[in-house]
């Protein structure tokens, strides 16, 4: 084989062989991790269908009470004029504080 041709094959063949080996290793590891789940492994690009879903917004109210004796009754009190904020995906504590002109401290 011509030395020039051999150098060219080495220059381009080695990285291609490395990428092929890494790809095969990833597929084997992924298949091994999914072996107990009964699902199949699909290699390739994910489907490009656009899906929209609407979920109803839920608000959870947390009321903290102190433990009382067994004979006392528990009452729930609400603060008149209280403001509630539903945390959205991507919100940070700083951004919420800025909306209400408050500090994080």
């Amino acid at each position: 084989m011509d030395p020039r041709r051999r150098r060219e094959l080495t220059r381009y063949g080695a990285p291609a062989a490395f990428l092929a080996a890494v790809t095969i290793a990833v597929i084997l590891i992924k298949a091994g991790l999914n072996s107990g789940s009964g699902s199949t492994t699909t290699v390739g690009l994910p489907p490009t269908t656009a899906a929209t879903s609407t979920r109803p917004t839920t608000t959870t109210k947390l009321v903290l009470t102190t433990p009382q004796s067994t004979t006392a009754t528990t009452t729930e009190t609400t603060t008149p004029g209280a403001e509630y904020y539903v945390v959205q995906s991507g919100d940070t504590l700083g951004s919420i504080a800025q909306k209400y002109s408050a500090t994080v401290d």
Side-chain angles (χ1 to χ4, degrees):
M1 180 181 280
D2 180 24
R4 184 175 177 201
R5 177 80 171 148
R6 183 179 177 143
R7 226 178 313 133
E8 186 177 317
L9 285 175
T10 304
R11 181 176 181 185
Y12 296 110
F18 175 76
L19 289 175
V22 169
T23 303
I24 291 170
V26 167
I27 291 171
L28 290 174
I29 290 170
K30 196 171 184 181
L33 292 175
N34 290 336
S35 64
S37 66
S39 64
T40 59
T41 302
T42 304
V43 178
L45 295 175
T48 58
T49 57
T52 58
S53 64
T54 57
R55 290 187 286 158
T57 304
T58 58
T59 304
T60 303
K61 182 178 179 183
L62 176 63
V63 178
L64 300 176
T65 59
T66 57
Q68 299 177 357
S69 64
T70 57
T71 59
T73 60
T74 304
T75 60
E76 180 180 324
T77 59
T78 59
T79 307
E83 292 184 41
Y84 295 97
Y85 179 77
V86 178
V87 178
Q88 303 294 322
S89 176
D91 281 347
T92 63
L93 189 56
S95 67
I96 296 170
Q98 187 177 16
K99 287 179 186 177
Y100 291 96
S101 300
T103 62
V104 177
D105 301 328

